[in-house]
Amino acid sequence: VLRGTVALDGPSGTGKSTVARRLASELGAAYLDTGAMYRAVTLAALRDRVAVSDVEAVALAARSVDLEMGTDPGHPSVSLAGENVEHEIRGPAVTGSVSAVSAVPVVRELLVAEQRRLIRQSAEQPGGIVVEGRDIGTVVAPEAGLKVYLTASSHARAQRRTAQDAAFGHGTDLERTHADVRRRDNLDSSRESSPLRMAGDAVELDTTELDVPGVLAQLHKLIEQRG
Ligand code: C5P
């Protein structure tokens, strides 16, 4: 078992969340979904009726957010002021606004600091921590013992996202999801503050033709090699 941190980055719909959570369970590691943190801040801003294009108002809202992340891969949780928002942060309102909110530098500073704190806490534990996001290998934890960058064709990613939306009980439409996946890819890769890109020392894993057990097998192999 690899001690320390496994960083799993990549765009949405690569199977990252499913794989990260299962990998953490199998390793006896903690699990941190950083996308859920950006989603929770987005929900808080929307509830405050902040226009997400108003950078200063978003920054102000972010500073007053009381966010708590549970890092047990068996029961990962996201709470705002003690209220479990795990379901609501996956809804279309948040998904439509999260890229704008996550492009605000103050939001990133606040959340990256909190992510580093949670990682430090768990990296000392025997199983370590699996962290998924967009900038874990590049910005949040450049010292991670293993960095993997998951990719897949945008079509495969839209299909997975649609299935995930359905599983969360949200309405689905493959074409719209495909458009949304491409829109968020563009926003996430072109933003100035921590754009989505692969770390120089990350291993790229294309999951287009792999199912979840297939991706997990590859990850375990990489961890053994680093072991
Ligand atoms: O992974 P998920 O789709 O839940 O992430 C939602 C959004 O949060 C992404 O589209 C991206 O804008 C943002 N994000 C980020 N940095 C991270 C994780 C997520 O900017 N480390």
Side-chain angles (χ1 to χ4, degrees):
V1 172
L2 179 88
R3 283 178 184 266
T5 305
V6 177
L8 280 185
D9 286 303
S12 81
T14 50
K16 217 175 25 179
S17 291
T18 309
V19 158
R21 197 174 149 187
R22 289 205 196 161
L23 180 68
S25 289
E26 290 170 7
L27 293 174
Y31 162 67
L32 182 61
D33 173 2
T34 62
M37 299 172 77
Y38 289 95
R39 287 173 177 274
V41 170
T42 303
L43 176 62
L46 292 175
R47 284 179 172 180
D48 284 354
R49 309 216 170 281
V50 164
V52 293
S53 55
D54 183 341
V55 171
E56 278 171 29
V58 170
L60 200 67
R63 286 189 205 281
S64 62
V65 163
D66 175 9
L67 171 65
E68 199 173 329
M69 301 297 295
T71 58
D72 173 354
H75 311 272
S77 67
V78 191
S79 311
L80 281 178
E83 176 196 352
N84 182 348
V85 292
E86 178 68 42
H87 185 79
E88 204 176 346
I89 59 169
R90 314 286 168 190
V94 169
T95 299
S97 295
V98 64
S99 287
V101 170
S102 65
V104 175
V106 168
V107 172
R108 304 205 71 83
E109 271 164 42
L110 289 167
L111 291 186
V112 167
E114 176 63 5
Q115 288 155 15
R116 289 187 177 143
R117 192 184 69 78
L118 292 166
I119 291 169
R120 266 198 305 273
Q121 234 172 40
S122 303
E124 317 286 310
Q125 307 296 317
I129 183 166
V130 177
V131 189
E132 63 153 299
R134 302 287 191 288
D135 60 345
I136 311 308
T138 50
V139 174
V140 177
E143 72 289 353
L146 176 64
K147 303 179 188 181
V148 179
Y149 192 85
L150 297 177
T151 59
S153 70
S154 66
H155 184 71
R157 293 190 288 119
Q159 277 179 330
R160 290 173 187 165
R161 200 85 215 187
T162 305
Q164 197 179 27
D165 288 347
F168 274 100
H170 298 298
T172 61
D173 175 341
L174 182 60
E175 269 323 299
R176 260 181 58 190
T177 305
H178 198 174
D180 182 64
V181 161
R182 281 180 302 217
R183 183 184 68 85
R184 281 206 287 146
D185 282 357
N186 283 333
L187 289 170
D188 292 345
S189 324
S190 63
R191 70 173 173 233
E192 237 166 83
S193 179
S194 306
L196 172 66
R197 64 178 175 80
M198 185 168 118
D201 53 352
V203 179
E204 184 171 352
L205 183 55
D206 186 338
T207 69
T208 306
E209 306 290 337
L210 293 174
D211 58 7
V212 170
V215 178
L216 283 166
Q218 295 290 326
L219 291 173
H220 281 293
K221 209 186 281 175
L222 288 168
I223 289 168
E224 268 165 40
Q225 284 166 6
R226 302 285 157 126

PDB file of all heavy atoms in Angstrom, residues 57-77:
ATOM      1  N   ALA A  57     -18.459  39.600  -5.286  1.00  0.00           N
ATOM      2  CA  ALA A  57     -19.557  39.061  -4.483  1.00  0.00           C
ATOM      3  C   ALA A  57     -19.348  37.564  -4.230  1.00  0.00           C
ATOM      4  O   ALA A  57     -19.620  37.070  -3.130  1.00  0.00           O
ATOM      5  CB  ALA A  57     -20.890  39.309  -5.191  1.00  0.00           C
ATOM      6  N   VAL A  58     -18.834  36.852  -5.244  1.00  0.00           N
ATOM      7  CA  VAL A  58     -18.562  35.419  -5.068  1.00  0.00           C
ATOM      8  C   VAL A  58     -17.475  35.235  -4.012  1.00  0.00           C
ATOM      9  O   VAL A  58     -17.586  34.380  -3.128  1.00  0.00           O
ATOM     10  CB  VAL A  58     -18.142  34.757  -6.412  1.00  0.00           C
ATOM     11  CG1 VAL A  58     -17.617  33.345  -6.181  1.00  0.00           C
ATOM     12  CG2 VAL A  58     -19.322  34.735  -7.381  1.00  0.00           C
ATOM     13  N   ALA A  59     -16.433  36.074  -4.079  1.00  0.00           N
ATOM     14  CA  ALA A  59     -15.340  35.970  -3.110  1.00  0.00           C
ATOM     15  C   ALA A  59     -15.858  36.208  -1.692  1.00  0.00           C
ATOM     16  O   ALA A  59     -15.509  35.484  -0.752  1.00  0.00           O
ATOM     17  CB  ALA A  59     -14.238  36.972  -3.454  1.00  0.00           C
ATOM     18  N   LEU A  60     -16.729  37.196  -1.562  1.00  0.00           N
ATOM     19  CA  LEU A  60     -17.303  37.521  -0.253  1.00  0.00           C
ATOM     20  C   LEU A  60     -18.133  36.346   0.276  1.00  0.00           C
ATOM     21  O   LEU A  60     -18.014  35.951   1.438  1.00  0.00           O
ATOM     22  CB  LEU A  60     -18.187  38.772  -0.397  1.00  0.00           C
ATOM     23  CG  LEU A  60     -18.493  39.534   0.875  1.00  0.00           C
ATOM     24  CD1 LEU A  60     -17.225  40.181   1.428  1.00  0.00           C
ATOM     25  CD2 LEU A  60     -19.549  40.619   0.597  1.00  0.00           C
ATOM     26  N   ALA A  61     -18.955  35.787  -0.594  1.00  0.00           N
ATOM     27  CA  ALA A  61     -19.782  34.643  -0.197  1.00  0.00           C
ATOM     28  C   ALA A  61     -18.890  33.472   0.211  1.00  0.00           C
ATOM     29  O   ALA A  61     -19.150  32.788   1.207  1.00  0.00           O
ATOM     30  CB  ALA A  61     -20.722  34.244  -1.344  1.00  0.00           C
ATOM     31  N   ALA A  62     -17.809  33.248  -0.545  1.00  0.00           N
ATOM     32  CA  ALA A  62     -16.923  32.113  -0.272  1.00  0.00           C
ATOM     33  C   ALA A  62     -16.275  32.243   1.104  1.00  0.00           C
ATOM     34  O   ALA A  62     -16.092  31.257   1.821  1.00  0.00           O
ATOM     35  CB  ALA A  62     -15.853  31.998  -1.354  1.00  0.00           C
ATOM     36  N   ARG A  63     -15.932  33.466   1.480  1.00  0.00           N
ATOM     37  CA  ARG A  63     -15.272  33.680   2.771  1.00  0.00           C
ATOM     38  C   ARG A  63     -16.166  33.315   3.952  1.00  0.00           C
ATOM     39  O   ARG A  63     -15.672  32.971   5.016  1.00  0.00           O
ATOM     40  CB  ARG A  63     -14.845  35.138   2.923  1.00  0.00           C
ATOM     41  CG  ARG A  63     -13.642  35.505   2.090  1.00  0.00           C
ATOM     42  CD  ARG A  63     -13.140  36.894   2.467  1.00  0.00           C
ATOM     43  NE  ARG A  63     -12.409  37.524   1.372  1.00  0.00           N
ATOM     44  CZ  ARG A  63     -11.145  37.225   1.066  1.00  0.00           C
ATOM     45  NH1 ARG A  63     -10.496  36.328   1.771  1.00  0.00           N
ATOM     46  NH2 ARG A  63     -10.559  37.815   0.046  1.00  0.00           N
ATOM     47  N   SER A  64     -17.476  33.415   3.750  1.00  0.00           N
ATOM     48  CA  SER A  64     -18.366  33.129   4.892  1.00  0.00           C
ATOM     49  C   SER A  64     -18.936  31.709   4.851  1.00  0.00           C
ATOM     50  O   SER A  64     -19.812  31.372   5.652  1.00  0.00           O
ATOM     51  CB  SER A  64     -19.492  34.166   4.934  1.00  0.00           C
ATOM     52  OG  SER A  64     -20.250  34.068   3.754  1.00  0.00           O
ATOM     53  N   VAL A  65     -18.434  30.891   3.914  1.00  0.00           N
ATOM     54  CA  VAL A  65     -18.964  29.531   3.810  1.00  0.00           C
ATOM     55  C   VAL A  65     -18.446  28.662   4.952  1.00  0.00           C
ATOM     56  O   VAL A  65     -17.255  28.676   5.261  1.00  0.00           O
ATOM     57  CB  VAL A  65     -18.571  28.907   2.451  1.00  0.00           C
ATOM     58  CG1 VAL A  65     -18.735  27.400   2.469  1.00  0.00           C
ATOM     59  CG2 VAL A  65     -19.411  29.521   1.338  1.00  0.00           C
ATOM     60  N   ASP A  66     -19.365  27.907   5.569  1.00  0.00           N
ATOM     61  CA  ASP A  66     -18.992  26.972   6.624  1.00  0.00           C
ATOM     62  C   ASP A  66     -19.104  25.570   6.038  1.00  0.00           C
ATOM     63  O   ASP A  66     -20.158  24.954   6.070  1.00  0.00           O
ATOM     64  CB  ASP A  66     -19.945  27.175   7.812  1.00  0.00           C
ATOM     65  CG  ASP A  66     -19.722  26.155   8.912  1.00  0.00           C
ATOM     66  OD1 ASP A  66     -18.730  25.388   8.848  1.00  0.00           O
ATOM     67  OD2 ASP A  66     -20.553  26.106   9.836  1.00  0.00           O
ATOM     68  N   LEU A  67     -17.985  25.106   5.461  1.00  0.00           N
ATOM     69  CA  LEU A  67     -17.973  23.862   4.682  1.00  0.00           C
ATOM     70  C   LEU A  67     -17.270  22.763   5.462  1.00  0.00           C
ATOM     71  O   LEU A  67     -16.189  22.987   6.013  1.00  0.00           O
ATOM     72  CB  LEU A  67     -17.221  24.124   3.365  1.00  0.00           C
ATOM     73  CG  LEU A  67     -16.887  22.946   2.466  1.00  0.00           C
ATOM     74  CD1 LEU A  67     -18.156  22.299   1.936  1.00  0.00           C
ATOM     75  CD2 LEU A  67     -16.014  23.417   1.301  1.00  0.00           C
ATOM     76  N   GLU A  68     -17.889  21.588   5.508  1.00  0.00           N
ATOM     77  CA  GLU A  68     -17.221  20.462   6.153  1.00  0.00           C
ATOM     78  C   GLU A  68     -17.259  19.231   5.260  1.00  0.00           C
ATOM     79  O   GLU A  68     -18.320  18.828   4.781  1.00  0.00           O
ATOM     80  CB  GLU A  68     -17.873  20.163   7.501  1.00  0.00           C
ATOM     81  CG  GLU A  68     -16.940  19.346   8.362  1.00  0.00           C
ATOM     82  CD  GLU A  68     -17.445  19.162   9.776  1.00  0.00           C
ATOM     83  OE1 GLU A  68     -18.137  20.068  10.286  1.00  0.00           O
ATOM     84  OE2 GLU A  68     -17.167  18.099  10.343  1.00  0.00           O
ATOM     85  N   MET A  69     -16.081  18.658   5.020  1.00  0.00           N
ATOM     86  CA  MET A  69     -15.964  17.487   4.161  1.00  0.00           C
ATOM     87  C   MET A  69     -15.711  16.244   5.016  1.00  0.00           C
ATOM     88  O   MET A  69     -14.819  16.255   5.861  1.00  0.00           O
ATOM     89  CB  MET A  69     -14.776  17.649   3.196  1.00  0.00           C
ATOM     90  CG  MET A  69     -14.856  18.844   2.287  1.00  0.00           C
ATOM     91  SD  MET A  69     -16.272  18.780   1.173  1.00  0.00           S
ATOM     92  CE  MET A  69     -15.868  17.357   0.151  1.00  0.00           C
ATOM     93  N   GLY A  70     -16.483  15.177   4.766  1.00  0.00           N
ATOM     94  CA  GLY A  70     -16.210  13.900   5.413  1.00  0.00           C
ATOM     95  C   GLY A  70     -15.357  13.068   4.460  1.00  0.00           C
ATOM     96  O   GLY A  70     -15.711  12.937   3.288  1.00  0.00           O
ATOM     97  N   THR A  71     -14.236  12.509   4.936  1.00  0.00           N
ATOM     98  CA  THR A  71     -13.290  11.867   4.029  1.00  0.00           C
ATOM     99  C   THR A  71     -13.295  10.337   4.114  1.00  0.00           C
ATOM    100  O   THR A  71     -12.364   9.695   3.647  1.00  0.00           O
ATOM    101  CB  THR A  71     -11.851  12.379   4.285  1.00  0.00           C
ATOM    102  OG1 THR A  71     -11.521  12.119   5.655  1.00  0.00           O
ATOM    103  CG2 THR A  71     -11.744  13.862   3.998  1.00  0.00           C
ATOM    104  N   ASP A  72     -14.352   9.767   4.709  1.00  0.00           N
ATOM    105  CA  ASP A  72     -14.468   8.307   4.734  1.00  0.00           C
ATOM    106  C   ASP A  72     -15.037   7.858   3.380  1.00  0.00           C
ATOM    107  O   ASP A  72     -16.150   8.253   3.021  1.00  0.00           O
ATOM    108  CB  ASP A  72     -15.418   7.926   5.877  1.00  0.00           C
ATOM    109  CG  ASP A  72     -15.737   6.436   5.892  1.00  0.00           C
ATOM    110  OD1 ASP A  72     -15.329   5.712   4.958  1.00  0.00           O
ATOM    111  OD2 ASP A  72     -16.401   5.994   6.847  1.00  0.00           O
ATOM    112  N   PRO A  73     -14.289   7.034   2.610  1.00  0.00           N
ATOM    113  CA  PRO A  73     -14.784   6.666   1.276  1.00  0.00           C
ATOM    114  C   PRO A  73     -16.090   5.861   1.324  1.00  0.00           C
ATOM    115  O   PRO A  73     -16.824   5.812   0.343  1.00  0.00           O
ATOM    116  CB  PRO A  73     -13.645   5.843   0.669  1.00  0.00           C
ATOM    117  CG  PRO A  73     -12.818   5.400   1.822  1.00  0.00           C
ATOM    118  CD  PRO A  73     -12.981   6.432   2.899  1.00  0.00           C
ATOM    119  N   GLY A  74     -16.390   5.250   2.494  1.00  0.00           N
ATOM    120  CA  GLY A  74     -17.652   4.527   2.647  1.00  0.00           C
ATOM    121  C   GLY A  74     -18.833   5.478   2.771  1.00  0.00           C
ATOM    122  O   GLY A  74     -19.939   5.158   2.354  1.00  0.00           O
ATOM    123  N   HIS A  75     -18.598   6.638   3.355  1.00  0.00           N
ATOM    124  CA  HIS A  75     -19.653   7.652   3.543  1.00  0.00           C
ATOM    125  C   HIS A  75     -19.088   9.040   3.313  1.00  0.00           C
ATOM    126  O   HIS A  75     -18.975   9.823   4.258  1.00  0.00           O
ATOM    127  CB  HIS A  75     -20.203   7.638   4.987  1.00  0.00           C
ATOM    128  CG  HIS A  75     -20.572   6.291   5.484  1.00  0.00           C
ATOM    129  ND1 HIS A  75     -21.812   5.755   5.286  1.00  0.00           N
ATOM    130  CD2 HIS A  75     -19.846   5.363   6.147  1.00  0.00           C
ATOM    131  CE1 HIS A  75     -21.838   4.539   5.817  1.00  0.00           C
ATOM    132  NE2 HIS A  75     -20.665   4.276   6.345  1.00  0.00           N
ATOM    133  N   PRO A  76     -18.684   9.367   2.081  1.00  0.00           N
ATOM    134  CA  PRO A  76     -18.168  10.718   1.878  1.00  0.00           C
ATOM    135  C   PRO A  76     -19.308  11.711   2.075  1.00  0.00           C
ATOM    136  O   PRO A  76     -20.455  11.404   1.745  1.00  0.00           O
ATOM    137  CB  PRO A  76     -17.683  10.716   0.423  1.00  0.00           C
ATOM    138  CG  PRO A  76     -18.371   9.580  -0.230  1.00  0.00           C
ATOM    139  CD  PRO A  76     -18.787   8.610   0.832  1.00  0.00           C
ATOM    140  N   SER A  77     -19.029  12.858   2.684  1.00  0.00           N
ATOM    141  CA  SER A  77     -20.114  13.801   2.924  1.00  0.00           C
ATOM    142  C   SER A  77     -19.649  15.231   2.700  1.00  0.00           C
ATOM    143  O   SER A  77     -18.469  15.544   2.784  1.00  0.00           O
ATOM    144  CB  SER A  77     -20.637  13.644   4.354  1.00  0.00           C
ATOM    145  OG  SER A  77     -19.632  14.047   5.255  1.00  0.00           O
TER     146      SER A  77
END
